[in-house]
Amino acid sequence: MAAPQESLSSTTPRRRRTVRRTLVIVVGSLLLLVVLAVGGFGTWIAVSFANARVDTVGEVDFDRVLAVPRLAESRVDPDGTRVFSLRMREGESDLGGENPTPTWGFDGAYLGPTLRAVRGEKVRVEVTNGLGEPSTVHWHGMHLRPEMDGGPHQMIEPGTTWSPRWMIDQPAATLWYHPHPHGATASHVRRGLAGMFILDDPAGTAGGRVGAALPHRYGVDDVPLVVQDVHLDDDGRIEDQGSLFSSVGTLGDRVLVNGTPGPHDEVTAQRTRYRLLNASTARTYTFAFSDHREFALVGTDGGLVETPVPLDQIVLTPGERAEIVVTMEPGDRTVLRSEPLPDRFGGGSRFTGDDDRLDVLELRAADRLDPSPPLPRRLAPPPDVDPSDAVRTRTFQVSGTAINGRGMDMGRIDAQVEDGSTEIWDLSSGDGAAHNFHVHGVQFKVTTDADNAPPPQLAGWKDTVFIPPGGTARLLVRLPGYADPAVPYMFHCHLLEHEDRGMMGQFVVVQPGQPPGQPPVASAPRLNPAGRPIRESQRQEERHHEAGRGAGPGQGEDRQGQHRP
């Protein structure tokens, strides 16, 4: 019995050493895997950071003539109503990729015509949905009844026509139109559903005389610039998926102006009025010229400013507009570009595009230029809204995917206001990210911007305002005079993926003492696992793919637009 006991005692230490060695190897391997994973993750972050900055300065050929959206045709009914017709449709466009890009547009494959009307006119727009899924058309910056506003409650089903009508009752301004389906606005706009709506003051009025003194020949010395950024995949399709690290949404690496990649404008007049529209879904632009020349700001969201403002750069967040007048000499060349966001706007985040430098449009002056008169010294009265008239103050904190801690609910009224009253709206960013704020149906006056007096470019009427990270803004809002306790207007962040994810609320206009009603409830969009809306066209492509047929490209069509002679 002694021998077996001696043998057992001699083998037990060896087994223990083997177990310990195995544990050491296992633990060491796990630690090595953790180190490699952490290192790989760190490397991925470093590579992502390095690749996040986009710089196209000097890389754009400017080999295409700028396309100018045509002026929409209209008819005048016997009752004096000016009638426009728009059709949302699918198409294909050359956006500079190796393959044609599937796009959407109004009356064409991409973007839409420019609508134009005069203050005092009655208008009707017959909007037909030729897409495979519901959408809407919102008249951004327009004063009109809430049921005509084109928000998410005014859905247009495929194959149907919506015909809103209203009277133009506001000064000359550069407005625009775009879809507004809850949960899918960003994808609809990104695919090309956007266009300008220009308002004029009647001839013979003070505003009409100023308009005639400014450059006003559409497509010659009065040129719309619809600026967007896109990212195309290898097949030429517009990407919807942004960077994991971007807090603002999907950013593109390719800039389009009126749907034209790498455009140049043949300047034929001494002074040209450019109507800038930031129609991007997420990107903020700091517009400036390559030679640092000054330009004159003559208008903002809601119309002309009081006097021309000399600037050498202007920041526009998604949805904002600016009318600038650029003076050129014969033979001049300069490039309109977007510079890094200035520090005073909270710039510095590489993943939100703040550090990007983008060439946008080259201006090429002819050897002989048509003479232009000097700009008027006075353009328009300043906003006539007085803080002493405010009947109450409201606070709105935008943070995460909510406003005041609540995500969008189509069946909930977030505020009720009295028709024609004035209120103070205090805005703040509560999550350290950049946002902006758009109010439907109104123009407002910005009284403070990031705790300071607003700069001159914010002195006119506005409908969209930037809120820097951690910043604030105070608005004097004159509320609509169209009472309807059940049909709401919207307020929301116009970084469209923020809006789609819930950073939006609703207010109704009531008469004194009138209670709010219950808004109509539209169906919520179907979302994918990432929280993004699944479009009907995607579901159709999935069904075709599952059936073994694939999703073939649509019929090729020319891009909407015209070239100037």
Side-chain angles (χ1 to χ4, degrees), residues 237-255:
R237 295 179 176 273
I238 297 173
E239 280 276 11
D240 266 340
Q241 301 295 328
S243 165
L244 177 65
F245 301 104
S246 173
S247 63
V248 296
T250 302
L251 299 172
D253 55 5
R254 186 184 306 262
V255 177

Side-chain angles (χ1 to χ4, degrees), residues 142-227:
M142 194 74 74
H143 299 177
L144 73 179
R145 296 189 62 84
E147 65 268 26
M148 308 298 174
D149 181 63
H153 291 286
Q154 289 89 47
M155 298 296 289
I156 312 171
E157 295 297 325
T160 66
T161 298
W162 177 57
S163 299
R165 63 181 67 204
W166 68 96
M167 177 177 285
I168 305 298
D169 187 22
Q170 60 194 101
T174 299
L175 312 182
W176 66 303
Y177 60 96
H178 63 81
H180 210 301
H182 179 39
T185 299
S187 64
H188 286 208
V189 173
R190 190 178 294 121
R191 275 159 179 72
L193 288 176
M196 279 197 182
F197 201 135
I198 295 176
L199 304 184
D200 298 305
D201 284 316
T205 65
R209 288 189 289 271
V210 170
L214 291 170
H216 60 274
R217 294 175 294 167
Y218 183 83
V220 179
D221 62 359
D222 183 357
V223 182
L225 301 180
V226 182
V227 183

Side-chain angles (χ1 to χ4, degrees), residues 95-379:
L95 302 185
E98 295 184 2
N99 299 307
T101 298
T103 53
W104 292 354
F106 293 97
D107 294 349
Y110 193 75
L111 297 182
T114 298
L115 279 60
R116 196 158 196 165
V118 178
R119 187 176 190 177
E121 277 193 309
K122 294 182 292 184
V123 300
R124 184 171 78 249
V125 188
E126 298 169 343
V127 185
T128 300
N129 185 352
L131 304 172
E133 60 186 272
S135 191
T136 74
V137 178
H138 166 54
W139 316 106
H140 185 123
M142 194 74 74
H143 299 177
L144 73 179
R145 296 189 62 84
E147 65 268 26
M148 308 298 174
D149 181 63
H153 291 286
Q154 289 89 47
M155 298 296 289
I156 312 171
E157 295 297 325
T160 66
T161 298
W162 177 57
S163 299
R165 63 181 67 204
W166 68 96
M167 177 177 285
I168 305 298
D169 187 22
Q170 60 194 101
T174 299
L175 312 182
W176 66 303
Y177 60 96
H178 63 81
H180 210 301
H182 179 39
T185 299
S187 64
H188 286 208
V189 173
R190 190 178 294 121
R191 275 159 179 72
L193 288 176
M196 279 197 182
F197 201 135
I198 295 176
L199 304 184
D200 298 305
D201 284 316
T205 65
R209 288 189 289 271
V210 170
L214 291 170
H216 60 274
R217 294 175 294 167
Y218 183 83
V220 179
D221 62 359
D222 183 357
V223 182
L225 301 180
V226 182
V227 183
Q228 298 171 297
D229 65 322
V230 296
H231 178 73
L232 304 180
D233 66 16
D234 293 340
D235 295 326
R237 295 179 176 273
I238 297 173
E239 280 276 11
D240 266 340
Q241 301 295 328
S243 165
L244 177 65
F245 301 104
S246 173
S247 63
V248 296
T250 302
L251 299 172
D253 55 5
R254 186 184 306 262
V255 177
L256 310 172
V257 185
N258 300 340
T260 311
H264 67 269
D265 184 36
E266 302 286 353
V267 178
T268 60
Q270 181 186 8
R271 291 185 178 88
T272 302
R273 176 188 195 175
Y274 290 105
R275 299 175 185 260
L276 282 165
L277 160 62
N278 182 351
S280 290
T281 61
R283 181 178 291 282
T284 292
Y285 297 95
T286 303
F287 289 111
F289 286 99
S290 56
D291 56 4
H292 309 293
R293 70 176 58 206
E294 281 193 346
F295 53 86
L297 177 73
V298 297
T300 56
D301 297 346
L304 299 177
V305 295
E306 186 175 7
T307 60
V309 180
L311 298 173
D312 58 11
Q313 65 176 212
I314 187 166
V315 174
L316 293 183
T317 62
E320 290 187 286
R321 289 88 66 206
E323 298 180 32
I324 66 173
V325 175
V326 182
T327 301
M328 301 282 281
E329 298 293 334
D332 267 359
R333 288 197 177 192
T334 188
V335 175
L336 178 68
R337 61 178 45 144
S338 181
E339 298 286 359
L341 188 66
D343 290 342
R344 68 179 184 276
F345 290 92
S349 173
R350 176 164 292 194
F351 291 114
T352 57
D354 293 351
D355 290 342
D356 292 352
R357 301 171 71 233
L358 303 167
D359 275 353
V360 177
L361 169 71
E362 185 178 55
L363 307 187
R364 300 178 182 177
D367 292 335
R368 298 185 63 181
L369 298 176
D370 295 338
S372 302
L375 297 179
R377 293 183 179 180
R378 181 174 174 82
L379 300 174

Side-chain angles (χ1 to χ4, degrees), residues 498-539:
H498 290 186
E499 171 196 321
D500 283 341
R501 294 171 183 171
M503 193 172 281
M504 180 162 61
Q506 305 185 116
F507 70 97
V508 291
V509 180
V510 298
Q511 295 178 350
Q514 186 179 27
Q518 180 63 37
V521 179
S523 59
R526 178 185 165 195
L527 303 179
N528 65 18
R532 298 174 183 268
I534 299 176
R535 304 185 310 278
E536 178 61 28
S537 56
Q538 288 178 314
R539 293 194 285 267

